[in-house]
Amino acid sequence: MAGHLGPASVAGAPATLVEMTDIDKSFPGVRALAKARFDLKPGEVHALMGENGAGKSTLMKILSGVYSRDAGTVLLNGEPVEITSPREAQALGVGIIHQELALMRDLTAAQNIFIGREPRRFGILDEGQLNRDAAAIFSSMNLKLEPTVKVETLTIAKQQMVEIAKALSYRSRVLIMDEPTAALNDAEIAELFVIINRLKADGVGVVYISHKMDEIKRISDRVTVMRDGEYVGTVPGADTPIETIISMMVGRTLSNEALVIPNTADAPIALEVKGLNRGREIRDVSFSVRKGEILGFAGLMGAGRTEVARTIFGADRRESGEIWVHGKRVGISSPKDAVEAGIGYLSEDRKHFGLATGLDVRNNIALASLDRFIGFGGVLDEAGMQREAVSYIGQLSIKTPSDTQEARLLSGGNQQKVVIAKWLLRDCDILIFDEPTRGIDVGAKSEIYKLLNALAAEGKAIIVISSELPEVLRLSHRIAVMCEGRLTGMLPGGASQEDIMRLATLRAPAMEVRHAG
Amino acid sequence: MTDTAAPAVQKSGPRISGAFHRLLAFSGLIALVVAFSLASPNFMQTQNILAILQATSVNGVLAIAATLVIITGGIDLSVGTLMTFCAVIAGVILTYLGLPMPLGIAGAILAGAASGLISGTIIAKLKVPPFIATLGMMLILKGLSLVISGTRPIYFNDTPGFNQIALGSLVGQIIPAVPVPNGVMILFAVALIASFVLSKTALGRYTFALGSNEEAVRLSGVNVDRWKIGVYALAGGIVGVAGVLIASRLNSAQPALGQGYELDAIAAVVIGGTSLSGGRGTVLGTLIGALIISVLANGLRILSVAQEWQTVVTGCIIILAVYADILRRRTL
Amino acid sequence: MTDTAAPAVQKSGPRISGAFHRLLAFSGLIALVVAFSLASPNFMQTQNILAILQATSVNGVLAIAATLVIITGGIDLSVGTLMTFCAVIAGVILTYLGLPMPLGIAGAILAGAASGLISGTIIAKLKVPPFIATLGMMLILKGLSLVISGTRPIYFNDTPGFNQIALGSLVGQIIPAVPVPNGVMILFAVALIASFVLSKTALGRYTFALGSNEEAVRLSGVNVDRWKIGVYALAGGIVGVAGVLIASRLNSAQPALGQGYELDAIAAVVIGGTSLSGGRGTVLGTLIGALIISVLANGLRILSVAQEWQTVVTGCIIILAVYADILRRRTL
Amino acid sequence: QDNYDIALISKGFQHQFWQAVKAGADKAGAEFGVTVTFEGPETETQVDRQMDMLAAALSRKPDAIGFAALDSQAASPLLQQAHDAGIPIIAFDSGVDSDIPLTTVTTDNVAAASLAADKMAELIGGEGKVAVVAHDQTSRTGIDRVDGFVNRIKEAYPKIEVVSVQYGGGDQLQSTEITKSILLANPDLKGIFGANEGSAIGVVNGKTELGSNVVVIGFDSGAAQKGFIESGAMAGAITQNPVGIGYETVKAAIGALKGETLPKIIDSGFNWYDKTNMADPAIAAVLYD
Ligand SMILES: Nc1ncnc2c1ncn2[C@@H]1O[C@H](COP(=O)(O)OP(=O)(O)OP(=O)(O)O)[C@@H](O)[C@H]1O
Ligand SMILES: Nc1ncnc2c1ncn2[C@@H]1O[C@H](COP(=O)(O)OP(=O)(O)OP(=O)(O)O)[C@@H](O)[C@H]1O
Ligand SMILES: [Mg+2]
Ligand SMILES: [Mg+2]
């Protein structure tokens, strides 16, 4: 089968693996691609860049048989091909890691990886072999994961690793990675890059989509930039300055002004958490955030940051601990209580916990604030909702044909912006943002940073959980570091990456780091 | 195939206006009506049309109630026996207690809402799946109807005018040429109200939101339980209206009737394009679905098709009607 | 995997062994049995236990078929009338055509599988929602059973031994003290096979995968349609077994029977802990669910509870049983 | 006097006819000081459910069983089991093709329906179109009444045509809709026979909703039918004697337990009733509300 790759196939490989030209694709109301172009050589990493909604995912879905194109040609090894289903794509040696995780939540990690290709003995599934094969892939990725764990119990990051493992297991000649690192932290990204380099050496062509600019420089051989569904240009990865790529993406140069971080040391405390406990995930976590302060949360995958946030927010039950808001103890047992106490929480998992995918953009933005729009007889003030939605669509430059577009039809990054808009509209005093810039393009990212900064300046207390250290460092007044459910340290905003990493891996059980504040 | 362009049949062709689109939703219904009109001269008679509408009224109202619940991603198996229960309550109030008619009507509707409130509470607070909660309620209500009525019909002979609720025709008094029975007007009124609630009110918005992603709604700080219970209670109240309608039509509360009606109601909802997984649906679609069911039953009877074949043909046409609707949406 | 280190271990608190956990799943059933045994000395008699098992056999087999379909995230409303259809086919083969018994049995099972194949194809290829496709099939099969049988029962008087399929007892011939009827053994055999298919074969894996995230399965390059059709066909074949069982038990194919049985089957599945949204479920749970339903019906009858109150109590206990199961899982 | 435990398994439960049978059985129970239980499946198609009820009744070890078989062949293994256990069986409503029941308390449904046909012919003047709305296509009573009516018309009244036989499951609403479509499809229809209580009421409802004046003949009684006959909406109806069936069944069971010999058949009879004879004490006694 063509999908299998060996040294021989590298030797006989043509100069280009993939060549896509003049690709058009429209959805109702949206022209997603207009004469888009892309090519891929064996043994290279070709980054595909563009703002949210530029058409990157759509282009790659066409290559992998998910969508059919309206016009244009696709050549594989110089041969014209019609890829009309994911299965055909696989048979032709094209594999893809989708931006939106596509896992079967009720199956185990191993079962997910080998779906459709289960090892069998006498027609019966060989579960032992399946788990051994999965374990082998995990260990080649240096990933600690039990093959028999159900995917739904995994965090987004680990789910992402399962997706990567699955894609690797196909041993494709063309591997498309659509934002594989959006949910990963630095250590895991480094691990992924080792794998990518190994694939390169084997002659695999890798398409790499990411909004993390530093990764592009580190890993890509060439960079193709798209804008509004059109091809902008292709430049070498290593020697093109980031600024050039960004200006190709956004059509202008972005000013990267430093954020002013005001002193909040004397501001009153907005949120105080005392002795929070929940199973093994949260052990005796105490901290506080002042009005006008941005508190960053750093830690490795599974450190328990999301758990802390969810527990404060009342989404999960806490075993013990107190939560104080503006100096008053509040009893939070559900998200409703939290929101009423003025706390908002943006989940890291927008698909399951953030977006009501069937509703339109307007209603998603209004979802947390609907009570504000209820008028006489329970009738909703549609005009008011529309006004707010349109204003946030502009403010966050959400790319959507209108505020009545179904949210699920937006590109990943734009969906994320919708969820952010929901919490901005709610206007909480205390905002917990879990991976707020996941999948968001550079331009919009700096807009969001500015926004968070402005919110802090208004006197809101903000917690930002992020797996991107530069983001934490750039935004935070102070940084809380977690490891294995414990708060291992509280650092000032100007701390170094090394300080954070040291605390993030501090596993000593008897750790009693005292933190002021 | 370099320049042979799009093999891919992805639609970006001419856009069809919203109004036309909405009209097309009726296509299955219209096709049926045309076919039956051609097949029998007796079909397209005012009286027969009124008979079809009248036959739709009870199932239509039940189906509207079911629509609300189904949009939240739930299901209500108890609509049929709850309807009977409400009719029995009306019977108890009017015949056994001899109270005035408005009280009987209000009692039936309140009983429906209260039962919906209980179902909703079991679902929202105890987290019992809707299928089980309403299956249990279906049995409980069925048994209670028999118990309360003493397993015998309660007649409304002492409440003159009670059967005018469904059978009289206010419209006919004004425009004698179209004596649309009140039952049908009540169906339309319920449909209008339900549509209004679904599209314009917070309850409606949460109905869709719950069906779309309940967890996301909860994490938006919404009191999910309260709204969910509200939807079930509203649906129960609407079922109460159906209870009054059927009691009025039969001039009696028949305690043994009702089971099996839930399937017709849910079928109307699904034929009308509402997804059982929740998050989308319309009252208009449900009305069309209920009409399709009645037109089919009426038309086949008018043609005197043997009953066993009626069943076969109904099965085929239900599948075809939904398939046609799927094709229509795909090509638009 | 080198380092077996802690993967996301979610649960805190004391872990309870798997075996104990599984035993607890029976708790609702056991509680019922204990309660009835205390309430009536006639309950815990061999003969009565056998009567309960016998009463479970047909619904149990139907529920197992329904389990497969429900795990894919679908639903099968046609199990009841398909069962009848299969029984009628057996009647035609054995009584009208006078062919030997094994052919009749094979014919019934094949008819079931063929019907499942058709439902599956309508669902997978035409994208008609399972509810509608199987509702249509339910009606079609109901009508066809009446047509084929000439609306009268077909007796198996010419096939001596046919009623031994369900009523005889091979076990009893070996161990006379426990004359477990063959019908019950067939239920267990079907349960074992279905369990095996679900846990050990590719078909089973895709059954869960489809219910978990069909789109993801499709994106993984699996021929989703083929497997889905396969699940429906297998379920249909199992329904065929139920058809043989009921025909044998009644020594006749009763063409009008069957509608309404789908609700009991689905109830058994859901009481057994299988989620209607798909992706999870067990055959063992379904068996327990089916047993809970039969034990309840039998026990209330043994206690001579008035029939209308039986219905009320059944409704309450179904809700409570499922609620207890939810509590148990929450506290584990 | 022993406190006997007698279990009646009927063909139905919720319909008024069966409730009247139950009332008769309860009356006998009270009169003779025995315990009577009464159960029946939801619909008259659920043969296997009736088997489960019979099996549970056997487990209860009653002194005697009254049984109205939905399908007597299907029931024979369980009847044999009861017989072997020495439990006397009394059949009621329709016969059981078996030697096991000591007696059968029954109405001759075919004869009753042909009486309805005769009355129909008389009322419509011996010619024209008629229709039947029945409850069930496969149950014994459904088949017997439809056959009894249709065959009698065919044999004796060549100028009358049965244009439509439809089934509404005994559900009043469904029977109403069916009647309306029959009337609309056959504007010249002269008469409709409603073959059980629910069907008959449905037929009258359908007729009144359309303002038709077709001749309606019903079956069984109940407050509604009695009212319709009084008001003239229904010309008349055939009544069985359900209260008597229940009463006689229990009485026969007690007789069997006491070792009395019983006749093979206890005919509970049927009567035509209309406005003119409803008040007769003999008729009024067999009507129920
Ligand atoms: N199924 C669809 N229906 C309608 N519009 C769609 C659909 N899929 C994508 N779009 C639209 O097509 C455009 C391109 O989307 P695409 O997902 O390719 O963007 P992207 O470059 O991957 O963005 P991001 O960086 O946010 O992931 C967007 O405007 C999006 O809203
Ligand atoms: N829904 C869940 N079910 C079971 N276990 C979970 C769930 N969510 C998180 N966990 C586990 O809880 C622990 C803490 O995870 P959490 O997501 O809070 O960490 P985090 O620091 O936010 O990490 P990440 O960077 O991956 O988001 C991990 O071991 C994780 O596997
Ligand atoms: Mg994308
Ligand atoms: Mg996290």
Side-chain angles (χ1 to χ4, degrees):
Chain A
M1 162 158 328
H4 283 273
L5 160 103
S9 65
V10 178
T16 40
L17 270 176
V18 176
E19 203 168 331
M20 305 176 79
T21 34
D22 294 338
I23 308 285
D24 284 354
K25 176 73 183 173
S26 294
F27 297 107
V30 186
R31 181 115 201 240
L33 295 175
K35 302 230 175 292
R37 227 164 57 209
F38 189 75
D39 71 313
L40 183 68
K41 300 193 181 99
E44 78 161 346
V45 175
H46 191 162
L48 185 55
M49 304 290 292
E51 287 181 291
N52 295 132
K56 308 178 292 293
S57 300
T58 306
L59 187 63
M60 289 303 120
K61 282 181 178 168
I62 286 172
L63 180 56
S64 60
V66 178
Y67 290 157
S68 51
R69 61 187 186 277
D70 296 344
T73 52
V74 178
L75 305 185
L76 211 61
N77 296 322
E79 301 281 320
V81 285
E82 285 311 320
I83 307 177
T84 57
S85 75
R87 211 149 54 97
E88 281 173 39
Q90 269 172 25
L92 291 167
V94 177
I96 180 165
I97 301 169
H98 285 287
Q99 179 178 12
E100 295 303 326
L101 297 174
L103 292 168
M104 290 135 274
R105 289 163 67 82
D106 298 299
L107 301 193
T108 67
Q111 290 170 350
N112 262 282
I113 290 172
F114 290 104
I115 189 78
R117 301 163 301 147
E118 293 80 3
R120 299 176 208 183
R121 238 189 310 163
F122 315 116
I124 294 167
L125 297 180
D126 187 345
E127 216 53 14
Q129 188 62 44
L130 180 81
N131 289 329
R132 279 193 297 280
D133 289 352
I137 295 178
F138 292 157
S139 79
S140 80
M141 295 167 66
N142 217 350
L143 172 67
K144 285 174 190 160
L145 192 69
E146 196 67 58
T148 55
V149 67
K150 266 202 187 183
V151 157
E152 80 177 335
T153 64
L154 296 176
T155 54
I156 286 289
K158 285 213 165 121
Q159 292 183 13
Q160 181 72 66
M161 296 308 277
V162 172
E163 281 276 24
I164 293 171
K166 178 173 166 190
L168 292 177
S169 75
Y170 283 103
R171 311 175 78 75
S172 312
R173 281 179 306 157
V174 175
L175 183 54
I176 305 161
M177 299 186 168
D178 196 349
E179 302 195 29
T181 57
L184 302 187
N185 67 19
D186 292 347
E188 293 139 16
I189 293 170
E191 217 49 83
L192 178 66
F193 284 2
V194 171
I195 296 166
I196 292 179
N197 281 320
R198 209 160 55 215
L199 291 172
K200 264 174 75 163
D202 288 344
V204 176
V206 176
V207 184
Y208 192 87
I209 301 176
S210 175
H211 291 294
K212 300 185 178 175
M213 304 307 292
D214 56 318
E215 293 175 359
I216 302 307
K217 294 226 62 107
R218 278 164 64 195
I219 196 77
S220 61
D221 300 307
R222 289 193 293 157
V223 178
T224 287
V225 176
M226 296 178 65
R227 190 166 65 226
D228 294 333
E230 289 172 28
Y231 173 82
V232 175
T234 304
V235 293
D239 8 290
T240 312
I242 291 279
E243 289 67 31
T244 313
I245 297 175
I246 293 178
S247 66
M248 285 170 78
M249 282 168 61
V250 300
R252 65 195 152 87
T253 36
L254 274 185
S255 65
N256 200 357
E257 66 223 76
L259 298 169
V260 203
I261 300 183
N263 184 3
T264 55
D266 312 324
I269 289 176
L271 171 73
E272 181 161 21
V273 175
K274 294 183 185 168
L276 197 67
N277 272 294
R278 177 182 160 82
R280 293 194 211 172
E281 288 99 39
I282 307 176
R283 306 186 211 193
D284 196 26
V285 168
S286 307
F287 66 90
S288 61
V289 203
R290 291 177 188 280
K291 281 187 69 150
E293 183 185 36
I294 299 181
L295 175 65
F297 260 77
L300 299 182
M301 173 175 75
R305 296 162 299 168
T306 296
E307 285 282 316
V308 166
R310 284 180 58 93
T311 306
I312 294 171
F313 189 60
D316 293 329
R317 206 155 35 100
R318 61 178 185 274
E319 275 153 22
S320 65
E322 294 174 5
I323 296 163
W324 294 66
V325 174
H326 300 312
K328 271 200 284 264
R329 188 172 169 191
V330 288
I332 292 176
S333 59
S334 72
K336 172 183 153 276
D337 299 340
V339 170
E340 275 167 9
I343 305 176
Y345 169 63
L346 175 90
S347 169
E348 63 177 346
D349 186 348
R350 67 168 168 261
K351 199 164 162 194
H352 290 107
F353 301 136
L355 210 62
T357 39
L359 295 187
D360 60 16
V361 171
R362 180 197 299 174
N363 281 293
N364 265 291
I365 293 177
L367 192 56
S369 326
L370 220 49
D371 45 4
R372 203 188 297 165
F373 297 101
I374 301 179
F376 177 73
V379 178
L380 289 170
D381 171 16
E382 282 301 333
M385 285 163 64
Q386 178 182 25
R387 219 166 24 247
E388 293 291 358
V390 167
S391 133
Y392 281 106
I393 287 171
Q395 208 175 327
L396 299 178
S397 51
I398 300 174
K399 196 172 175 215
T400 172
S402 79
D403 67 324
T404 53
Q405 179 82 338
E406 265 185 68
R408 74 187 163 90
L409 299 178
L410 299 194
S411 79
N414 285 305
Q415 293 180 357
Q416 182 72 12
K417 293 179 187 172
V418 169
V419 189
I420 292 176
K422 170 172 83 179
W423 287 113
L424 296 180
L425 175 58
R426 174 72 216 191
D427 194 26
C428 300
D429 292 340
I430 300 157
L431 281 164
I432 308 175
F433 280 2
D434 197 351
E435 311 287 1
T437 60
R438 186 180 160 211
I440 284 190
D441 67 49
V442 265
K445 219 179 236 180
S446 64
E447 288 303 317
I448 286 173
Y449 292 162
K450 271 190 239 159
L451 206 96
L452 289 179
N453 211 253
L455 288 172
E458 280 172 29
K460 301 198 183 304
I462 298 175
I463 294 175
V464 174
I465 302 173
S466 173
S467 300
E468 281 180 74
L469 278 187
E471 179 166 297
V472 176
L473 288 167
R474 176 145 184 234
L475 277 172
S476 314
H477 302 172
R478 286 182 304 145
I479 301 167
V481 187
M482 287 189 68
C483 178
E484 294 186 342
R486 287 187 177 75
L487 205 58
T488 49
M490 188 67 80
L491 298 167
S496 71
Q497 298 215 4
E498 290 67 37
D499 290 339
I500 294 176
M501 287 316 292
R502 188 177 51 79
L503 290 169
T505 50
L506 202 59
R507 308 208 148 173
M511 203 50 240
E512 286 298 331
V513 177
R514 280 289 129 225
H515 25 77
Chain B
M1 67 129 274
T2 34
D3 267 339
T4 353
V9 232
Q10 181 64 42
K11 278 72 216 177
S12 44
R15 303 320 267 6
I16 293 172
S17 83
F20 185 62
H21 191 148
R22 242 168 284 133
L23 192 72
L24 264 179
F26 286 93
S27 53
L29 181 59
I30 292 171
L32 275 180
V33 169
V34 170
F36 283 126
S37 305
L38 294 178
S40 162
N42 294 321
F43 184 82
M44 251 307 171
Q45 303 294 323
T46 315
Q47 252 196 338
N48 195 45
I49 301 299
L50 291 179
I52 292 173
L53 289 173
Q54 180 77 278
T56 314
S57 59
V58 169
N59 185 38
V61 174
L62 288 183
I64 290 170
T67 305
L68 295 178
V69 168
I70 289 174
I71 292 176
T72 68
I75 192 139
D76 193 345
L77 297 179
S78 68
V79 291
T81 60
L82 175 57
M83 167 185 79
T84 300
F85 180 78
C86 296
V88 168
I89 294 295
V92 168
I93 295 175
L94 298 182
T95 302
Y96 290 180
L97 305 181
L99 297 173
M101 193 156 89
L103 283 183
I105 296 172
I109 295 174
L110 280 179
S115 162
L117 198 90
I118 296 173
S119 302
T121 307
I122 296 172
I123 293 163
K125 296 291 182 190
L126 307 188
K127 314 284 176 220
V128 173
F131 185 91
I132 292 291
T134 59
L135 175 72
M137 287 301 282
M138 162 176 127
L139 294 172
I140 293 171
L141 292 164
K142 179 178 161 186
L144 288 182
S145 297
L146 291 170
V147 170
I148 294 175
S149 66
T151 2
R152 64 172 55 91
I154 307 177
Y155 294 94
F156 292 96
N157 295 332
D158 307 338
T159 314
F162 186 77
N163 72 356
Q164 293 304 303
I165 296 175
L167 296 178
S169 175
L170 288 179
V171 178
Q173 279 168 21
I174 303 163
I175 323 168
V178 270
V180 181
N182 295 339
V184 176
M185 298 314 291
I186 292 174
L187 167 65
F188 290 151
V190 169
L192 278 178
I193 293 169
S195 270
F196 177 82
V197 170
L198 273 180
S199 60
K200 302 280 181 227
T201 70
L203 183 65
R205 199 55 46 88
Y206 286 121
T207 305
F208 283 101
L210 285 174
S212 178
N213 187 347
E214 180 171 335
E215 198 50 26
V217 181
R218 193 171 78 95
L219 289 180
S220 299
V222 174
N223 192 340
V224 164
D225 291 355
R226 198 183 67 187
W227 291 105
K228 200 191 264 184
I229 294 172
V231 175
Y232 278 87
L234 174 61
I238 294 177
V239 172
V241 174
V244 173
L245 273 183
I246 196 165
S248 162
R249 258 198 98 179
L250 302 177
N251 202 30
S252 59
Q254 297 287 336
L257 189 143
Q259 198 172 353
Y261 283 51
E262 69 282 352
L263 200 64
D264 268 4
I266 299 171
V269 177
V270 185
I271 293 174
T274 296
S275 152
L276 277 180
S277 44
R280 58 186 63 201
T282 59
V283 170
L284 181 65
T286 296
L287 271 189
I288 295 171
L291 275 170
I292 286 181
I293 293 177
S294 321
V295 165
L296 250 176
N298 175 287
L300 292 173
R301 282 176 198 144
I302 291 262
L303 295 182
S304 300
V305 175
Q307 188 141 1
E308 52 271 37
W309 284 109
Q310 283 183 21
T311 320
V312 175
V313 174
T314 306
C316 293
I317 292 185
I318 286 178
I319 294 177
L320 285 178
V322 173
Y323 178 56
D325 193 47
I326 291 167
L327 276 187
R328 172 179 69 82
R329 282 188 229 180
R330 207 182 288 165
T331 49
L332 272 191
Chain C
M1 172 134 196
T2 38
D3 190 341
T4 1
V9 177
Q10 51 280 37
K11 293 300 147 21
S12 47
R15 296 325 248 28
I16 293 172
S17 83
F20 183 61
H21 191 147
R22 242 168 282 135
L23 193 71
L24 264 180
F26 286 93
S27 54
L29 181 57
I30 292 171
L32 274 181
V33 169
V34 169
F36 284 127
S37 305
L38 293 178
S40 163
N42 293 322
F43 183 81
M44 253 303 172
Q45 303 293 322
T46 315
Q47 224 195 14
N48 194 45
I49 301 299
L50 292 180
I52 292 173
L53 289 173
Q54 181 75 274
T56 315
S57 59
V58 168
N59 186 35
V61 173
L62 287 184
I64 291 170
T67 306
L68 296 179
V69 169
I70 290 174
I71 293 176
T72 68
I75 193 137
D76 193 346
L77 297 179
S78 67
V79 291
T81 59
L82 176 56
M83 169 184 78
T84 300
F85 180 78
C86 296
V88 168
I89 294 293
V92 168
I93 294 176
L94 298 181
T95 302
Y96 290 179
L97 305 180
L99 296 172
M101 194 156 85
L103 283 184
I105 297 172
I109 296 175
L110 281 179
S115 161
L117 198 91
I118 295 173
S119 303
T121 307
I122 295 172
I123 293 162
K125 297 292 183 189
L126 307 189
K127 314 285 176 222
V128 173
F131 186 92
I132 291 293
T134 60
L135 174 72
M137 287 301 282
M138 164 178 127
L139 295 172
I140 293 172
L141 291 164
K142 179 180 164 186
L144 287 181
S145 298
L146 291 169
V147 170
I148 294 175
S149 66
T151 53
R152 58 178 54 91
I154 308 178
Y155 293 96
F156 292 96
N157 294 334
D158 306 338
T159 314
F162 187 76
N163 72 355
Q164 293 304 301
I165 296 175
L167 298 179
S169 173
L170 286 179
V171 179
Q173 278 167 23
I174 304 164
I175 323 166
V178 268
V180 182
N182 295 338
V184 176
M185 298 312 292
I186 291 174
L187 167 64
F188 291 152
V190 169
L192 279 178
I193 293 171
S195 273
F196 177 83
V197 169
L198 275 181
S199 60
K200 302 283 180 219
T201 69
L203 183 66
R205 179 62 40 82
Y206 298 128
T207 305
F208 283 102
L210 284 174
S212 188
N213 186 345
E214 181 172 332
E215 197 46 33
V217 184
R218 200 185 304 275
L219 291 178
S220 304
V222 174
N223 190 338
V224 164
D225 292 354
R226 200 181 65 187
W227 292 105
K228 199 189 264 183
I229 294 173
V231 176
Y232 279 86
L234 174 61
I238 294 176
V239 172
V241 174
V244 173
L245 273 182
I246 196 162
S248 162
R249 215 181 145 200
L250 303 177
N251 202 31
S252 56
Q254 300 281 343
L257 184 147
Q259 198 172 353
Y261 285 48
E262 67 283 349
L263 199 65
D264 269 4
I266 298 171
V269 176
V270 184
I271 294 173
T274 295
S275 150
L276 277 180
S277 45
R280 55 185 69 196
T282 60
V283 171
L284 181 65
T286 296
L287 271 188
I288 295 170
L291 275 169
I292 286 179
I293 293 176
S294 323
V295 165
L296 250 177
N298 176 287
L300 293 172
R301 282 174 194 147
I302 294 258
L303 295 182
S304 303
V305 175
Q307 190 157 345
E308 53 270 42
W309 284 108
Q310 281 184 23
T311 319
V312 176
V313 174
T314 306
C316 293
I317 293 186
I318 285 178
I319 293 177
L320 286 178
V322 172
Y323 178 55
D325 193 49
I326 290 166
L327 277 188
R328 171 179 70 82
R329 283 188 226 181
R330 206 182 289 166
T331 51
L332 271 190
Chain D
Q1 174 83 57
D2 303 284
N3 185 8
Y4 291 127
D5 177 12
I6 299 173
L8 265 57
I9 308 295
S10 91
K11 292 177 177 178
F13 177 75
Q14 302 152 4
H15 290 89
Q16 288 318 293
F17 179 80
W18 297 113
Q19 284 293 316
V21 174
K22 180 172 184 285
D26 288 342
K27 182 171 154 227
E31 203 171 304
F32 300 110
V34 300
T35 308
V36 175
T37 62
F38 189 96
E39 265 194 292
E42 295 289 294
T43 72
E44 299 193 8
T45 59
Q46 297 179 331
V47 184
D48 65 320
R49 299 288 156 90
Q50 196 187 35
M51 296 302 98
D52 293 337
M53 290 180 173
L54 187 53
L58 283 175
S59 300
R60 207 177 85 203
K61 302 193 176 66
D63 297 299
I65 289 178
F67 183 57
L70 286 173
D71 185 299
S72 41
Q73 273 216 24
S76 63
L78 280 171
L79 289 178
Q80 191 60 46
Q81 198 180 319
H83 186 65
D84 295 346
I87 301 175
I89 308 261
I90 310 296
F92 67 96
D93 189 56
S94 52
V96 174
D97 301 331
S98 152
D99 297 333
I100 294 173
L102 299 172
T103 183
T104 302
V105 183
T106 182
T107 308
D108 184 344
N109 276 302
V110 176
S114 48
L115 174 59
D118 291 335
K119 293 287 179 187
M120 179 67 83
E122 189 185 316
L123 289 162
I124 64 173
E127 61 183 325
K129 291 182 180 174
V130 297
V132 179
V133 176
H135 48 296
D136 205 291
Q137 202 165 6
T138 55
S139 74
R140 197 68 256 160
T141 55
I143 293 169
D144 283 353
R145 288 179 203 164
V146 171
D147 286 356
F149 186 89
V150 172
N151 291 341
R152 178 70 188 162
I153 295 277
K154 267 196 203 136
E155 278 162 30
Y157 308 101
K159 286 191 190 146
I160 301 182
E161 187 197 354
V162 180
V163 290
S164 184
V165 178
Q166 304 219 22
Y167 301 86
D171 178 307
Q172 293 187 7
L173 191 60
Q174 219 183 320
S175 305
T176 306
E177 311 300 359
I178 287 175
T179 303
K180 287 169 78 172
S181 19
I182 292 176
L183 285 171
L184 291 163
N186 304 282
D188 50 347
L189 199 77
K190 290 270 188 64
I192 303 181
F193 172 45
N196 81 343
E197 189 187 339
S199 310
I201 295 172
V203 170
V204 175
N205 284 344
K207 166 187 161 172
T208 22
E209 282 186 22
L210 287 184
S212 149
N213 49 14
V214 68
V215 171
V216 176
I217 288 179
F219 207 101
D220 292 332
S221 49
Q225 279 198 86
K226 282 164 47 180
F228 289 151
I229 289 174
E230 250 156 29
S231 74
M234 185 183 281
I238 305 288
T239 176
Q240 308 180 74
N241 181 4
V243 181
I245 292 175
Y247 185 87
E248 292 296 336
T249 303
V250 172
K251 195 172 151 204
I254 295 168
L257 288 168
K258 292 200 169 139
E260 293 166 14
T261 37
L262 299 167
K264 208 58 217 153
I265 297 274
I266 300 173
D267 189 350
S268 51
F270 57 85
N271 294 89
W272 165 258
Y273 70 104
D274 56 21
K275 222 190 275 192
T276 60
N277 68 351
M278 257 168 77
D280 288 1
I283 296 291
V286 296
L287 298 180
Y288 59 90
D289 275 329

